[in-house]
Amino acid sequence: MSKNAPPRWDRKMQQRLARGEAAALGELYDRFASLVHSQAHRMLDDETAADLVTREVFGYVWENPNAYDPKQGSMRSWVARLTHRQSVRRLREEDGLPDGRDEGTGAADRSDMEERVRRATAAARADYIVASMPAPLRAALELAYIQRRDYRQTAADLGVTEDEARRRLRLGLQLLSTAHTRPLEGSSPPGYGRPL
């Protein structure tokens, strides 16, 4: 199998959705609904809006299964990008910018709204990074930063050496640091059809 070939599950899921299999949508929802909802909630800080974005994202996927291009990345990444775009659209609508244009708004208002979008994007990316990082790295970060363990206690709790605990923490933090330097894209990449 070539290095750029999409995972088998992604290809089969797209084919099933294109055939209109309702069970495929249910399976996709079961797999990614928590990702979509948590990302939308983190960006919008509103449970009702996150519920609405979740419905809109899965509605779009159901109506446009061929908009997914396996050559552009995994189904999970595509769903995360759709969620990000729809959440940004909602943030802009809240500020009176329905399509992202800044007609008739002041520079300060645009700047404030773009700062909110930037912070929300970084937070959503951090959530996505943590959710998709390998379990050993995630466990080390949770022990160190949520349960306030030092690297020695983290090593003991994980049953690894202190050097391994430090390595996991360092790698996990390096991954998280990319949340601010490489934000999720807000525009539609080629081959993804019309954005949400």
Side-chain angles (χ1 to χ4, degrees), residues 161-177:
T161 65
E162 291 177 6
D163 286 340
E164 177 63 14
R166 280 194 299 263
R167 187 189 69 76
R168 290 179 186 184
L169 290 169
R170 185 173 42 253
L171 184 54
L173 290 173
Q174 286 171 344
L175 288 171
L176 277 175
S177 72

Side-chain angles (χ1 to χ4, degrees), residues 16 18 57 71 77 82 106 123 127 158 175 186:
R16 291 174 62 202
V57 166
K71 294 176 186 168
S77 296
L82 292 174
D127 283 349
L158 294 174
L175 288 171

Side-chain angles (χ1 to χ4, degrees), residues 120-181:
T121 298
R125 180 156 174 78
D127 283 349
Y128 181 76
I129 289 168
V130 168
S132 60
M133 74 174 43
L137 299 181
R138 187 172 49 249
L141 287 176
E142 287 173 355
L143 286 168
Y145 292 97
I146 295 173
Q147 298 181 22
R148 302 286 187 181
R149 304 259 201 266
D150 67 20
Y151 75 93
R152 288 182 182 99
Q153 293 167 323
T154 298
D157 289 350
L158 294 174
V160 298
T161 65
E162 291 177 6
D163 286 340
E164 177 63 14
R166 280 194 299 263
R167 187 189 69 76
R168 290 179 186 184
L169 290 169
R170 185 173 42 253
L171 184 54
L173 290 173
Q174 286 171 344
L175 288 171
L176 277 175
S177 72
T178 65
H180 294 286
T181 58

Side-chain angles (χ1 to χ4, degrees), residues 48-189:
T48 303
D51 290 342
L52 185 58
V53 166
T54 302
R55 286 193 302 272
E56 290 168 345
V57 166
F58 285 100
Y60 179 82
V61 169
W62 177 248
E63 293 172 3
N64 303 281
N66 291 323
Y68 168 63
D69 182 358
K71 294 176 186 168
Q72 297 290 325
S74 70
M75 179 82 63
R76 178 186 179 94
S77 296
W78 180 59
V79 168
R81 281 190 298 271
L82 292 174
T83 304
H84 178 259
R85 281 195 294 270
Q86 187 61 17
S87 297
V88 167
R89 179 173 286 149
R90 290 223 165 263
L91 281 173
R92 288 184 171 142
E93 286 173 356
E94 284 177 16
D95 287 344
L97 303 172
D99 58 2
R101 290 191 298 251
D102 55 5
E103 299 168 0
T105 60
D109 291 339
R110 286 190 309 273
S111 178
D112 289 346
M113 188 275 304
E114 288 304 322
E115 179 60 22
R116 282 182 60 205
V117 169
R118 189 193 63 72
R119 282 193 316 264
T121 298
R125 180 156 174 78
D127 283 349
Y128 181 76
I129 289 168
V130 168
S132 60
M133 74 174 43
L137 299 181
R138 187 172 49 249
L141 287 176
E142 287 173 355
L143 286 168
Y145 292 97
I146 295 173
Q147 298 181 22
R148 302 286 187 181
R149 304 259 201 266
D150 67 20
Y151 75 93
R152 288 182 182 99
Q153 293 167 323
T154 298
D157 289 350
L158 294 174
V160 298
T161 65
E162 291 177 6
D163 286 340
E164 177 63 14
R166 280 194 299 263
R167 187 189 69 76
R168 290 179 186 184
L169 290 169
R170 185 173 42 253
L171 184 54
L173 290 173
Q174 286 171 344
L175 288 171
L176 277 175
S177 72
T178 65
H180 294 286
T181 58
R182 293 178 24 211
L184 290 169
E185 298 170 15
S187 61
S188 178

